[in-house]
Amino acid sequence: MMDSIHSDDKAGRALVAGGAGFLGSHLCARLLRDGWEVICLDNFQTGRASNLATLASHPMLTVMRHDVVDPIPDLQVSRIYHLACPASPVHYQADPLRTLRTCVLGTIQMLELAERVGARLLQASTSEVYGDPLQHPQQEQYWGHVNPVGPRACYDEGKRCAETICTEYAHTEGVEVKIARIFNTYGPNMSPNDGRVVSNFIVQALAGQPLTVYGDGTQTRSFCYVDDLIDGLVRLMESPSAMTQPINLGNPAELSMLEIADLVRACTGAQVPIVFRDLPVDDPAHRCPDISLAQQYLDWTPKVPPREGIARTAEYFAQESQASPERESQAMAAFMQTKRGGRRQGRARVV
């Protein structure tokens, strides 16, 4: 019989697709702390076993190596968090067709699973659906300004299509769907080579290298610390069923690239210069969320200020720089050893 969430707030079983990724690993940790049994599904294309290393001893965690574009067995879960997709330009542009398949076919697979087992699904969408926005800050009612044939289109349009698919499954099949439009997020468990600005700056600063700024550095983003973002996702998932429209989740505190560079230098103590490079094609000039709906309906507002969040992230990368080069393979081997032995007392398992 399928697990369910009861009115007495007892947790059940949740599936986190993309659970070994940056956001997914933090979400797995949060759900486990909240008492959920968690199935982490990941193909480990960009997800890392080392992100889950601190959870390896948790008896309520199952790690399932699987690609979301392939048929998924009837996992008896009551909540599905669909976070599976490369999210940085370096990764999603490396194989655009695979990115599109993940966004479209993967979302269909997740929704069909949700329909079969009666689960509620949260779709991790993105601020990229707004493209290079003509509205500032961006409200959920804004339809966006996206180049459908540009180098970012595989992700931008893939996520826009995923929102449409979710909406139609809700309307025609009765699947309970939540859509989170996630703005720039940063924090521990980011990959050092994912090409995102915060991780780029910190890795360069710790190595004593110049910070690379693309364009003139006046373009802005709104950076949300990962703990705040995960809290928003959980609140959205558990919001009333009537809350079906997309919701922006991000930090409305807008910072320029140059301001982020200065914060990174201050937090790391690095005395390094800035070098300027050409701005990538279709890189948005501004990106900032209007979070009025999240504040009103989820009682959610980011709490971690940029200086504190960047300091925590810099500390994480400093520790990572001292880690063994074999750490990732060792972490995967540890999970696979558990797989051979099945579920053991006090151990996560892999299936």
Side-chain angles (χ1 to χ4, degrees):
M1 183 174 179
M2 187 187 71
D3 288 338
S4 60
I5 302 303
H6 306 290
S7 59
D8 60 1
D9 294 328
K10 289 181 180 178
R13 183 182 294 125
L15 171 66
V16 180
F22 165 45
L23 295 183
S25 57
H26 283 276
L27 179 58
C28 287
R30 164 65 186 268
L31 293 174
L32 289 168
R33 287 197 302 271
D34 288 350
W36 289 82
E37 183 178 348
V38 176
I39 301 173
C40 165
L41 184 148
D42 206 294
N43 67 357
F44 293 93
Q45 176 192 354
T46 56
R48 299 185 296 166
S50 56
N51 285 344
L52 301 170
T54 60
L55 307 177
S57 63
H58 205 295
M60 299 293 281
L61 175 68
T62 298
V63 180
M64 182 176 182
R65 191 163 194 169
H66 188 89
D67 195 313
V68 292
V69 304
D70 297 326
I72 299 170
D74 285 353
L75 304 171
Q76 297 304 307
V77 296
S78 58
R79 297 291 187 267
I80 298 172
Y81 289 86
H82 180 27
L83 278 64
C85 186
S88 72
V90 168
H91 291 151
Y92 66 66
Q93 291 176 4
D95 191 342
L97 290 178
R98 186 171 188 170
T99 299
L100 281 166
R101 291 189 186 100
T102 300
C103 288
V104 177
L105 298 179
T107 300
I108 291 173
Q109 293 285 5
M110 287 288 124
L111 285 162
E112 290 187 346
L113 172 63
E115 181 184 4
R116 292 196 305 270
V117 303
R120 175 181 289 186
L121 179 141
L122 183 144
Q123 166 66 18
S125 189
T126 171
S127 62
E128 293 289 335
V129 301
Y130 299 123
D132 190 1
L134 303 179
Q135 181 189 90
H136 190 75
Q138 292 83 61
Q139 297 176 320
E140 289 88 348
Q141 294 81 5
Y142 177 53
W143 291 352
H145 180 231
V146 176
N147 178 3
V149 294
R152 303 169 75 99
C154 61
Y155 186 70
D156 299 2
E157 295 289 27
K159 287 292 190 177
R160 286 162 69 93
C161 185
E163 288 194 14
T164 303
I165 296 168
C166 286
T167 301
E168 293 307 322
Y169 266 81
H171 288 166
T172 63
E173 307 300 330
V175 177
E176 284 194 48
V177 169
K178 307 290 182 177
I179 299 174
R181 289 181 178 164
I182 300 171
F183 283 68
N184 294 75
T185 309
Y186 70 99
N189 291 5
M190 296 182 79
S191 173
N193 62 353
D194 68 5
R196 303 187 210 196
V197 62
V198 172
S199 54
N200 274 0
F201 283 171
I202 292 175
V203 169
Q204 289 173 333
L206 292 175
Q209 300 172 350
L211 307 189
T212 304
V213 171
Y214 294 94
D216 62 7
T218 60
Q219 67 270 34
T220 62
R221 296 292 185 273
S222 303
F223 293 93
C224 185
Y225 189 67
V226 62
D227 289 355
D228 286 332
L229 189 281
I230 296 302
D231 184 57
L233 292 179
V234 172
R235 287 171 182 257
L236 178 57
M237 175 64 96
E238 300 306 326
S239 64
S241 298
M243 173 60 67
T244 59
Q245 72 177 90
I247 297 291
N248 287 339
L249 293 177
N251 193 334
E254 196 173 3
L255 295 170
S256 71
M257 299 298 102
L258 292 176
E259 289 174 317
I260 291 292
D262 286 341
L263 276 175
V264 168
R265 289 191 291 192
C267 290
T268 60
Q271 302 296 316
V272 294
I274 291 174
V275 295
F276 294 88
R277 298 286 184 266
D278 291 339
L279 195 66
V281 175
D282 294 334
D283 192 67
H286 302 285
R287 190 69 65 71
C288 180
D290 182 320
I291 61 169
S292 299
L293 292 182
Q295 290 172 322
Q296 179 179 355
Y297 294 110
L298 307 181
D299 191 26
W300 179 84
T301 301
K303 298 177 181 178
V304 179
R307 180 177 289 272
E308 179 181 342
I310 287 175
R312 293 183 194 176
T313 308
E315 181 180 359
Y316 165 78
F317 276 109
Q319 294 172 349
E320 284 293 288
S321 68
Q322 305 300 316
S324 165
E326 293 79 30
R327 181 188 178 197
E328 182 62 25
S329 59
Q330 291 171 349
M332 182 60 76
F335 278 117
M336 297 311 292
Q337 181 182 4
T338 308
K339 176 181 178 179
R340 289 193 294 271
R343 184 181 290 279
R344 293 180 289 185
Q345 180 109 19
R347 286 297 299 266
R349 69 179 177 124
V350 177
V351 298

